[in-house]
Amino acid sequence: TVVSGESISGPVKLEDSVQVLFQPEISLMDMINRSIEQGVSQHWLTVPGNQLEKIKVLSRWLGIELINLDIE
């Protein structure tokens, strides 16, 4: 599952794992609703830059369905 957006600055959180504040390009409500409809996890990976085309190729090679939350 992929969604486009940008990391945003915010307060440092001293927790046991890395935290990223993220602003999706679609509305947050759309992202949440589409995520729920697809049944995706609350755990996300982030990568720098727009890597969608490479992720599309990788998912085809691995035979994994790619769900793009940016597309309704």
Side-chain angles (χ1 to χ4, degrees):
T1 303
V2 297
V3 65
S4 300
E6 293 186 18
S7 62
I8 55 176
S9 63
V12 175
K13 297 179 100 179
L14 299 175
E15 296 186 10
D16 63 347
S17 61
V18 176
Q19 304 290 318
V20 175
L21 298 176
F22 171 77
Q23 177 63 52
E25 289 183 7
I26 60 176
S27 76
L28 184 57
M29 189 58 69
D30 282 344
M31 181 182 152
I32 292 169
N33 286 334
R34 292 174 191 175
S35 296
I36 291 169
E37 289 169 5
Q38 294 299 325
V40 300
S41 168
Q42 77 276 15
H43 301 284
W44 298 81
L45 299 174
T46 58
V47 295
N50 186 337
Q51 304 299 325
L52 181 57
E53 292 306 313
K54 291 177 183 176
I55 293 170
K56 285 179 181 179
V57 170
L58 179 62
S59 68
R60 279 195 300 270
W61 284 349
L62 297 174
I64 298 170
E65 178 185 10
L66 180 68
I67 298 168
N68 188 341
L69 297 181
D70 294 330
I71 301 171
E72 197 167 345

